[in-house]
Amino acid sequence: MIVARIEDGHVQLLDRLREMVQLAAGLDDHNRLSTQAQQRALNCLARFGQRLRHIPPGRLRIVGTNTLRQARNSADFVARAEQVLGHRVEVVSGQEEARLIYLGVAHSVGQVPGPRLVIDIGGGSTELIIGQDFEPLHLASLRMGCVSLSRACFADGRVTAGRLREAELLVQLHLEPVREEYLARGWEVVTGASGSIKAIQDVLVSEGWSREGITLAGMRRLRAALLETRDTAALADRWQLEPTRARVFVGGFVVLHGLCETLGIEWLEVSEGALREGLIYDLLGRIRHEDVRDRTISDVIRRFSLDEAQAARVSGTALELLRQVRAKWALPGKEVRNVLERAARLHEAGLLLSHDQYHKHGAYVLEHSDLPGYSRDDQLLLAALVRRHRRSFPADAFAALPGDWVRPACRLCVLLRLAVVLHRGRSSEPLPPIALSVNRQRIRLAFPRGWLVRHPLTRADLQLEAALLAKAGFHLRLAEERSGNRSESTAGDSSA
């Protein structure tokens, strides 16, 4: 964990806490986290939680990475972690993890004129990112890390020539699909980040095999030394490694050595910043209204050739409806507004594939695409809103979302559906003033006198929408304002 503040436009670190929990070591053969591993992590988070109590949620991000992506009981653990911390935990994709790592590294080392290759070795995955300046250009997340490889090949701590060759072969197999592509792209400098890479640098410097950074020649000498040392207990004594680091040191070494040999890397610098620093800079962008998620939405709109005018109309109406009911429906805060706006702008993403069932196509695309800036839960929420913006709307439509989002998502979806129906004609003619009021599940939508009569198709669409909303437990009524009084009916009535 790191805590920072912004001072004269610069990030100033105030505190840094670190414990090696090695959550990946708790995964069994069925990819389930053991009770012991979960408890180790929860105990750590309970200690960290004390430092977080007075930090506003909008200035804090907590992320899980590869192990929580793999674990089949990840959702149960995340729920317990959120209770301990009192804050939301995001599980990010491998691509998003790589993007954040690059951002942290790029802000922590000197700039270079050309592209940079960044390597980060985690417990269960290794990220490879080629970027330039502060922009990642090509990212890959490989399912091999210091913990997973150490468990697979050096579980009892013994290091032999046969085991070392077996581990090196596993690394080569993981690198084979990306080797040619990365070599073809090229880079000017290589930067390493992570505890494993820092520990390797410390060993090379202490032995006099490198003055600064990590050299391939030094790595080859270290490989020979590992075979001489023969077990992780001896490693800890020889190089003053913490026992937890010593147990995964060989796995991290084999990954980095394999990368250097395969990609022809003779030397790499080591960065102090990585994922956590990347989170700080990404969060800073959100605070300063430079949210990468907005850029992602714009990229998707261009990629899928969406009708931007229609997206703007639906988005504008949805946000106006939200303004009218946000207090009554307990939908406060900027994040709720952002979710509705982004879903409205992307609700037609599936049209690129087919108009038939396009809401389902769009939801699938948004759930399974790599969307920079979005966590796994963020994508699920966005996809769920797009999936339910038209046609069926069952009461359990959002049951798969995190518990604190189920009710807000259901209510936001009602607003999105109404906005889509009101703009179904795709007309550039502005809508009249529409008054929306709610009382729990009861909704009243009021139009100026005579407007519904002059727009019978919209009225028919709203009557159909009322029947669909009823399945989710909402009761929609339409009304026309008259001079001195008002006429009101259920949306299913023939008169309004």
Side-chain angles (χ1 to χ4, degrees):
M1 179 175 75
I2 61 173
V3 181
R5 70 173 179 179
I6 310 304
E7 187 69 29
D8 295 329
H10 299 286
V11 172
Q12 180 183 44
L13 291 185
L14 300 179
D15 201 0
R16 186 190 297 268
L17 297 173
R18 179 175 173 273
E19 292 188 24
M20 286 191 68
V21 173
Q22 295 183 357
L23 199 59
L27 285 174
D28 63 19
D29 294 337
H30 302 287
N31 272 353
R32 295 187 65 85
L33 280 172
S34 69
T35 302
Q36 296 83 356
Q38 290 188 56
Q39 196 56 55
R40 286 200 310 270
L42 292 170
N43 291 342
C44 170
L45 294 177
R47 290 186 285 273
F48 283 15
Q50 179 183 339
R51 188 68 177 83
L52 305 179
R53 287 174 189 162
H54 305 296
I55 298 179
R59 293 178 175 266
L60 170 71
R61 288 189 71 189
I62 304 168
V63 301
T65 54
N66 183 71
T67 301
L68 294 186
R69 292 195 292 268
Q70 290 189 60
R72 298 179 66 181
N73 55 343
S74 172
D76 294 336
F77 171 75
V78 167
R80 295 176 67 192
E82 290 178 337
Q83 286 184 331
V84 168
L85 290 164
H87 291 280
R88 180 186 174 214
V89 175
E90 308 172 51
V91 179
V92 296
S93 69
Q95 292 280 311
E96 177 64 2
E97 180 182 357
R99 184 188 72 85
L100 291 167
I101 288 168
Y102 182 84
L103 191 60
V105 169
H107 280 91
S108 303
V109 296
Q111 285 188 267
V112 293
R116 178 196 306 274
L117 170 64
V118 171
I119 300 170
D120 184 284
I121 302 172
S125 67
T126 294
E127 275 61 50
L128 302 177
I129 314 105
I130 294 177
Q132 190 156 352
D133 298 327
F134 299 106
E135 191 69 28
L137 303 175
H138 188 70
L139 311 94
S141 181
L142 308 178
R143 291 181 62 175
M144 60 177 183
C146 62
V147 175
S148 58
L149 195 63
S150 295
R151 284 183 63 205
C153 301
F154 311 102
D156 62 359
R158 294 177 57 243
V159 183
T160 67
R163 290 183 175 188
L164 205 55
R165 285 194 296 272
E166 178 189 357
E168 289 167 345
L169 180 59
L170 286 174
V171 171
Q172 294 301 317
L173 289 173
H174 279 97
L175 289 175
E176 187 177 18
V178 301
R179 177 181 179 274
E180 293 302 323
E181 183 177 10
Y182 271 76
L183 288 174
R185 289 178 179 272
W187 49 80
E188 294 294 327
V189 67
V190 182
T191 305
S194 72
S196 287
I197 289 178
K198 291 175 185 176
I200 292 168
Q201 176 184 240
D202 291 344
V203 169
L204 295 184
V205 170
S206 70
E207 291 283 0
W209 298 334
S210 173
R211 294 181 59 187
E212 184 180 10
I214 295 173
T215 64
L216 180 56
M219 295 278 284
R220 289 169 176 163
R221 297 182 69 171
L222 178 53
R223 185 185 187 279
L226 291 175
L227 289 173
E228 293 171 4
T229 309
R230 303 192 69 82
D231 64 62
T232 54
L235 293 181
D237 290 339
R238 178 171 178 176
W239 292 310
Q240 289 78 54
L241 299 174
E242 299 175 3
T244 49
R245 173 59 64 191
R247 284 194 290 270
V248 299
F249 182 87
V250 183
F253 164 80
V254 174
V255 172
L256 184 61
H257 184 219
L259 281 165
C260 290
E261 293 282 8
T262 300
L263 300 179
I265 299 169
E266 296 287 340
W267 179 82
L268 65 148
E269 63 180 345
V270 178
S271 167
E272 287 297 317
L275 175 61
R276 289 168 295 180
E277 288 75 15
L279 283 165
I280 289 288
Y281 284 101
D282 193 63
L283 186 56
L284 176 59
R286 296 185 181 188
I287 293 170
R288 291 179 169 176
H289 308 292
E290 299 167 355
D291 196 333
V292 70
R293 292 175 297 179
D294 293 326
R295 188 170 62 188
T296 295
I297 298 300
S298 298
D299 288 344
V300 173
I301 288 173
R302 286 193 295 270
R303 189 190 318 163
F304 289 90
S305 302
L306 301 185
D307 185 340
E308 294 192 49
Q310 176 69 359
R313 286 190 287 267
V314 172
S315 173
T317 296
L319 294 179
E320 170 56 23
L321 296 177
L322 172 64
R323 183 192 65 79
Q324 297 183 48
V325 301
R326 66 186 315 159
K328 198 81 171 181
W329 260 0
L331 296 170
K334 183 174 69 172
E335 190 61 24
V336 169
R337 185 186 188 280
N338 288 343
V339 167
L340 179 59
E341 180 181 16
R342 290 161 182 162
R345 293 180 66 195
L346 295 181
H347 75 281
E348 293 187 328
L351 283 176
L352 180 69
L353 301 178
S354 169
H355 182 274
D356 184 45
Q357 306 289 318
Y358 78 84
H359 53 301
K360 295 180 181 179
H361 303 322
Y364 183 88
V365 167
L366 294 175
E367 181 177 346
H368 297 284
S369 295
D370 289 316
L371 301 182
Y374 283 85
S375 69
R376 184 170 65 182
D377 285 345
D378 289 337
Q379 289 189 230
L380 283 174
L381 173 58
L382 194 60
L385 289 171
V386 170
R387 169 70 176 83
R388 296 299 177 186
H389 86 267
R390 66 193 288 259
R391 296 194 178 177
S392 65
F393 192 22
D396 62 350
F398 300 98
L401 296 179
D404 58 340
W405 265 110
V406 172
R407 177 177 289 181
C410 192
R411 291 174 170 177
L412 289 177
C413 194
V414 171
L415 302 178
L416 177 59
R417 291 174 69 96
L418 292 175
V420 170
V421 170
L422 290 168
H423 289 286
R424 186 176 179 185
R426 313 184 80 86
S427 172
S428 59
E429 179 183 345
L431 292 173
I434 299 173
L436 176 65
S437 57
V438 296
N439 183 9
R440 296 186 180 179
Q441 303 289 87
R442 302 182 71 83
I443 306 167
R444 179 180 178 274
L445 201 59
F447 296 84
R449 179 181 178 183
W451 192 88
L452 286 174
V453 174
R454 295 191 300 274
H455 297 81
L457 192 57
T458 299
R459 178 170 146 187
D461 284 335
L462 287 168
Q463 289 171 344
L464 177 60
E465 180 61 26
L468 295 171
L469 290 177
K471 295 180 180 180
F474 291 94
H475 182 63
L476 173 63
R477 296 177 66 85
L478 304 182
E480 285 193 345
E481 303 291 353
R482 300 185 187 277
S483 55
N485 56 38
R486 66 192 180 205
S487 173
E488 192 165 333
S489 72
T490 62
D493 291 345
S494 59
S495 61

